Amino acid sequence: MCYYVHFTICFLFYNVIISYGFMQGKTVIQEVFKWKQISYDFDGVLYNTNTNYERNAVGAQNNSEINDADKFFIQYNNVPIGMEVYEDRVFITVPRRRHGIPSTLNYVRLTGNNSPALKPYPDTGSRKEFVSVYRPRVDVCGRLWMVDTGHLEVPGERKQIQPPAIVVFDLKTNEQLLRYELKPSDLVNNRSSAGLTSITVDVTRDNCEDAYAYINDLATEGMVVFSMKARNSWRLDHRSFVHDDSAMNFTAAGYVINWKDGLFSIALSEPDSEGKRRAFYHPLVSTQEFSIDTEYLKDSKKFLGLNTYLGDRGSNTQSGSHDYHAPSRTMFYANVAQDAILCWNIDTNMAPNNVVVVAQSPKKLAYISDLKVIGDHVWVLVNQIPKFIYSTFDTNDYNYFIHRLKIRDLIRGTVCDVRGF
Ligand SMILES: *[C@@H]1O[C@H](CO)[C@@H](O)[C@H](O)[C@H]1NC(C)=O
Ligand SMILES: *[C@@H]1O[C@H](CO)[C@@H](O)[C@H](O)[C@H]1NC(C)=O
Ligand SMILES: *[C@@H]1O[C@H](CO)[C@@H](O)[C@H](O)[C@H]1NC(C)=O
């Protein structure tokens, strides 16, 4: 497109496009998937409409009086919440917060179909093995980590089906490497397990067995740490894990949110010259950010009493997931209170003027439920969950999205682009 003689004009034109894209918050959002409603593919059998029984199931009969609790698939209730990417596979979780969810841990392939049916991972048997999985994580050793909360979270019918557990798969062989049940001392009460909604893995490629995992507990506002080598876990409690009452009642996807969610997301820096990482974290209902060297998380006795306050991000910066891009030293936030993505360069002070909106769309970023940095892109899963909770989806319209955004386009010309990435 750009001929040599027209270089200057092309360059100007290019800049106009970029600024337009940035101001509109549209052009840089690349659509990967979008769904009106979720469908499933169980070994080639497509479920794309309400179905009382699993087809071919032994003893299945046509009984239209069946209770919701016993129904195989109630399509409307299937809201995707977590996401992760590994090569050409995109993992998508559907926690069991209503009846009629056939499979909580699923994947699709990046093949060109932009509304694919979800397939259970690693196979159809997993639908009965796992109860409720939120935000999984792929580590540098090619493993998929998750917490199965074991908790059926249907309003008015909450039930702990099995103990919450950390589960790890080898993504090359799809074999389960680990299932570790959390200890009663990792939890506060019978609400804690439903709050285990993300997992962050601290490991290097040259020492895969010596991995630590940091799990948020947003319900009873704490952190659970797991050592793979020691096969042990412990709970940390700290005032910085607790939501901030004065940050309540923000608007997300058009609805006022009065939840009291504590610790929501933990993101790690790259290791420094001594191999130490920093963990950055925040409650959902808060505009503050906290940070701590991970060595303090690895030793339960060291942590209590430390001051971990880093700074305030500014008004309306309540955010869910966040993730770090090492080449640009930038943190990206799923800013649910502005239907936006925020950036912050970790070499700058944590203060409102260093935390800026880099993409915003009341339609395409209406409640970013998960956000991951994959290579040089930010990936987001958008699900408008406040609308599901407080109103009703229009099932003729697209309700769930996965988008990709190029980091270079997002941060160019902003305060986050300190090093000219
Ligand atoms: C199941 O039964 C209902 C009501 O008796 C009937 O309307 C429906 O067609 C039946 N479905 C199948 C698949 O047989
Ligand atoms: C949790 O415990 C409370 C009382 O301590 C009880 O009323 C409630 O039914 C329990 N909920 C679950 C899901 O077990
Ligand atoms: C949030 O709303 C509740 C109920 O209306 C109110 O009691 C509370 O003071 C509000 N908090 C803030 C920080 O606005």
Side-chain angles (χ1 to χ4, degrees), residues 69-176:
D70 298 321
K71 287 180 181 165
F72 179 70
F73 181 42
I74 304 172
Q75 188 171 32
Y76 184 84
N77 289 348
N78 285 254
V79 179
I81 289 196
M83 175 206 70
E84 181 56 292
V85 183
Y86 181 73
E87 295 177 347
D88 75 335
R89 280 179 286 180
V90 179
F91 295 91
I92 299 167
T93 64
V94 185
R96 287 192 165 106
R97 297 161 60 98
R98 293 288 189 279
H99 291 305
I101 293 167
S103 171
T104 185
L105 176 62
N106 310 283
Y107 74 101
V108 297
R109 289 197 190 267
L110 288 163
T111 54
N113 174 0
N114 67 358
S115 304
L118 311 190
K119 295 181 174 181
Y121 183 82
D123 52 44
T124 49
S126 77
R127 79 171 213 84
K128 288 180 176 152
E129 187 178 347
F130 305 122
V131 177
S132 213
V133 175
Y134 279 83
R135 297 174 183 84
R137 182 80 64 157
V138 170
D139 73 7
V140 292
C141 303
R143 300 175 297 198
L144 181 70
W145 293 67
M146 72 205 70
V147 178
D148 175 12
T149 71
H151 194 98
L152 184 70
E153 225 183 312
V154 177
E157 300 174 45
R158 295 167 64 111
K159 207 188 293 177
Q160 193 70 37
I161 309 282
Q162 57 196 33
I166 297 170
V167 180
V168 183
F169 282 97
D170 180 336
L171 285 163
K172 289 278 189 286
T173 62
N174 300 316
E175 274 170 36
Q176 194 170 310

Side-chain angles (χ1 to χ4, degrees), residues 245-246 248-249:
D245 273 331
S246 73
M248 283 176 64
N249 306 340

Side-chain angles (χ1 to χ4, degrees), residues 161-421:
I161 309 282
Q162 57 196 33
I166 297 170
V167 180
V168 183
F169 282 97
D170 180 336
L171 285 163
K172 289 278 189 286
T173 62
N174 300 316
E175 274 170 36
Q176 194 170 310
L177 297 174
L178 175 96
R179 179 186 171 87
Y180 172 88
E181 286 184 3
L182 297 185
K183 303 191 289 195
S185 56
D186 296 332
L187 310 169
V188 174
N189 57 34
N190 66 11
R191 293 192 303 119
S192 303
S193 57
L196 309 173
T197 57
S198 77
I199 185 162
T200 301
V201 186
D202 186 357
V203 67
T204 51
R205 204 174 265 123
D206 53 14
N207 200 353
C208 291
E209 186 53 27
D210 190 17
Y212 285 82
Y214 311 121
I215 300 165
N216 75 306
D217 165 8
L218 63 79
T220 45
E221 307 189 299
M223 189 190 295
V224 178
V225 181
F226 169 67
S227 162
M228 189 179 226
K229 210 171 177 176
R231 290 290 196 276
N232 194 15
S233 56
W234 52 92
R235 183 181 179 89
L236 300 175
D237 287 295
H238 194 267
R239 60 184 180 279
S240 61
F241 298 157
V242 177
H243 74 280
D244 175 2
D245 273 331
S246 73
M248 283 176 64
N249 306 340
F250 58 90
T251 301
Y255 296 86
V256 175
I257 303 295
N258 61 6
W259 312 334
K260 294 185 174 180
D261 289 0
L263 182 63
F264 198 95
S265 182
I266 303 149
L268 304 180
S269 73
E270 69 275 61
D272 66 12
S273 53
E274 293 168 31
K276 290 184 185 172
R277 289 181 206 268
R278 285 167 79 197
F280 297 89
Y281 63 88
H282 54 256
L284 177 76
V285 180
S286 173
T287 61
Q288 301 179 343
E289 191 75 12
F290 302 88
S291 94
I292 186 81
D293 279 359
T294 56
E295 65 174 302
Y296 294 101
L297 305 177
K298 292 175 181 176
D299 181 340
S300 57
K301 288 162 211 77
K302 283 186 178 171
F303 186 63
L304 262 165
L306 289 177
N307 179 12
T308 64
Y309 179 66
L310 193 61
D312 199 288
R313 298 185 300 258
S315 58
N316 293 318
T317 59
Q318 289 89 341
S319 297
S321 305
H322 66 334
D323 204 3
Y324 176 66
H325 179 245
S328 65
R329 293 183 66 78
T330 305
M331 195 69 78
F332 292 94
Y333 293 81
N335 176 209
V336 294
Q338 298 185 89
D339 303 327
I341 297 171
L342 305 175
C343 75
W344 169 61
N345 186 295
I346 68 164
D347 295 325
T348 65
N349 289 335
M350 170 47 78
N353 55 330
N354 288 326
V355 182
V356 295
V357 170
V358 288
Q360 187 169 32
S361 168
K363 171 78 184 155
K364 293 188 165 188
L365 300 178
Y367 205 87
I368 302 173
S369 180
D370 202 356
L371 178 152
K372 298 270 164 45
V373 168
I374 314 282
D376 291 327
H377 285 87
V378 171
W379 288 65
V380 292
L381 183 150
V382 172
N383 67 9
Q384 306 186 74
I385 206 160
K387 193 170 183 183
F388 178 77
I389 295 171
Y390 299 116
S391 178
T392 312
F393 285 137
D394 176 355
T395 56
N396 294 314
D397 200 357
Y398 289 98
N399 293 299
Y400 319 121
F401 303 89
I402 290 180
H403 303 298
R404 257 169 37 135
L405 305 95
K406 205 172 179 179
I407 287 174
R408 191 181 304 271
D409 294 346
L410 282 176
I411 65 173
R412 185 185 317 231
T414 71
V415 291
C416 296
D417 196 12
V418 172
R419 309 212 299 190
F421 170 75

